[in-house]
Amino acid sequence: MNSKSLIVKDLMNKSVATIVTKNINTASVFKKYKIDFSVHGNMLLTKACDKKKVNIKNIVNDLKAVNNKVYYLKDYNSWDLDFLIDFLVNIQHEYKEENILFLKEYGEKVAKIYGKEYKELLKVNRLIQKNADTILEHMKNEERTIFPYIKKLVEAKNKKIVVNISNSPLNSPIESIEDEHEKVSKIFKKICKLTNNYKIPENTCISYKVLYLKLQQFEELLSNHMHIENNILFPKAKKLEKSLLLDL
């Protein structure tokens, strides 16, 4: 078997999340084929392609064409957990909080101007308004419970100290957070479908264009954010907690 065949076989036997975890640049390929890598990323590439009726040869070629060089600033899988949490809170949460408020404002504004002509905007606006508060509360819950606990685990390991894990939030609360990820992901998939993949109609004002561009950017960041939490941060935190239990 030549090296090319080995690469193809290796990709086919990996889950979608594993591929993106190794190289975040591959996320753009999965977005292109509308394959979920953040919430249902545990699916093998072959199965994901079958489900979406995607020619696996095409996607493998695209994956191989992606720059294989992974820069540290995007290699989230190699970051320390406490540093990864700081990034999620100070960069991504801040971006999400600022932009979800922007989307609420512009969703309402554009729906009022164009809602009669483009009926889908009324549905899009309702989804934005409904989803916004959920996302904001979701981030607060992470910052209040999950993230501080994971930081305590990291500190316990580094300083070789005992940490109270009797009320660990890494079971039911994390499952609840992952369920919320799935609900939010479904809502944005609906928005994407309603907007015909964020296609901007002709002869519309700048507010309409800005809304669609912001929605698309927000969905892309959201997918990456959920991938980092579901497939990198949470599994590593559970593994760390388990290792501390064994050391007691």
Side-chain angles (χ1 to χ4, degrees):
M1 189 178 291
N2 60 38
S3 59
K4 186 176 179 181
S5 299
L6 285 171
I7 291 170
V8 172
K9 188 177 180 182
D10 184 53
L11 284 170
M12 289 171 68
N13 291 328
K14 279 189 168 66
S15 71
V16 173
T18 300
I19 295 169
V20 179
T21 297
K22 285 198 166 189
N23 187 355
I24 193 68
N25 295 327
T26 59
S28 60
V29 175
F30 291 114
K31 286 170 188 171
K32 172 184 172 182
Y33 291 99
K34 294 183 169 48
I35 291 176
D36 183 4
F37 61 87
S38 55
V39 177
H40 298 290
N42 59 341
M43 196 178 293
L44 288 177
L45 178 61
T46 47
K47 190 173 179 181
C49 288
D50 286 343
K51 190 175 178 181
K52 285 290 184 179
K53 295 181 172 54
V54 172
N55 186 318
I56 195 160
K57 288 182 181 178
N58 292 341
I59 198 167
V60 166
N61 286 336
D62 284 358
L63 288 170
K64 288 191 296 181
V66 170
N67 183 4
N68 287 323
K69 189 170 183 181
V70 182
Y71 296 101
Y72 179 73
L73 288 176
K74 284 190 173 183
D75 188 12
Y76 308 117
N77 194 41
S78 71
W79 292 5
D80 293 334
L81 293 188
D82 49 354
F83 182 66
L84 187 59
I85 287 170
D86 287 341
F87 167 74
L88 291 173
V89 173
N90 298 324
I91 304 298
Q92 295 203 342
H93 275 199
E94 190 170 317
Y95 171 90
K96 283 164 70 179
E97 184 173 356
E98 182 181 317
N99 282 272
I100 197 66
L101 296 173
F102 177 92
L103 289 173
K104 281 185 75 172
E105 179 189 345
Y106 268 66
E108 196 75 44
K109 181 179 179 180
V110 174
K112 282 181 180 177
I113 299 171
Y114 292 100
K116 288 183 180 178
E117 186 178 358
Y118 300 100
K119 301 291 185 188
E120 68 274 8
L121 282 175
L122 300 175
K123 293 179 182 178
V124 168
N125 181 47
R126 281 197 293 271
L127 290 171
I128 291 172
Q129 304 303 327
K130 178 184 175 183
N131 213 21
D133 293 337
T134 302
I135 291 173
L136 292 172
E137 185 58 32
H138 175 89
M139 292 191 295
K140 286 177 186 175
N141 286 338
E142 289 180 333
E143 292 176 20
R144 278 194 298 253
T145 57
I146 304 287
F147 292 171
Y149 178 76
I150 295 173
K151 282 198 166 189
K152 282 183 182 177
L153 293 180
V154 173
E155 183 182 23
K157 180 187 177 184
N158 293 340
K159 295 183 178 179
K160 293 182 170 47
I161 58 176
V162 177
V163 63
N164 182 6
I165 58 175
S166 58
N167 294 315
S168 170
L170 295 184
N171 295 312
S172 297
I174 275 203
E175 288 172 7
S176 174
I177 280 175
E178 289 174 339
D179 286 343
E180 286 174 4
H181 283 173
E182 181 155 15
K183 288 174 186 174
V184 169
S185 177
K186 282 180 178 178
I187 287 173
F188 267 89
K189 282 174 183 173
K190 283 182 184 176
I191 290 173
C192 185
K193 189 173 181 180
L194 284 167
T195 59
N196 192 19
N197 202 25
Y198 307 109
K199 185 177 180 181
I200 302 168
E202 294 180 7
N203 303 318
T204 52
C205 71
I206 190 68
S207 296
Y208 198 125
K209 294 171 184 175
V210 168
L211 174 65
Y212 273 33
L213 289 171
K214 279 288 185 183
L215 277 168
Q216 187 172 22
Q217 288 171 0
F218 193 88
E219 186 191 8
E220 287 178 4
L221 180 128
L222 196 64
S223 293
N224 288 349
H225 183 86
M226 291 190 295
H227 163 70
I228 292 169
E229 290 188 351
N230 287 357
N231 304 315
I232 300 176
L233 179 65
F234 296 160
K236 284 189 173 185
K238 288 179 181 178
K239 188 176 179 181
L240 174 58
E241 184 184 63
K242 189 176 180 181
S243 73
L244 291 173
L245 272 172
L246 294 173
D247 290 340
L248 292 177

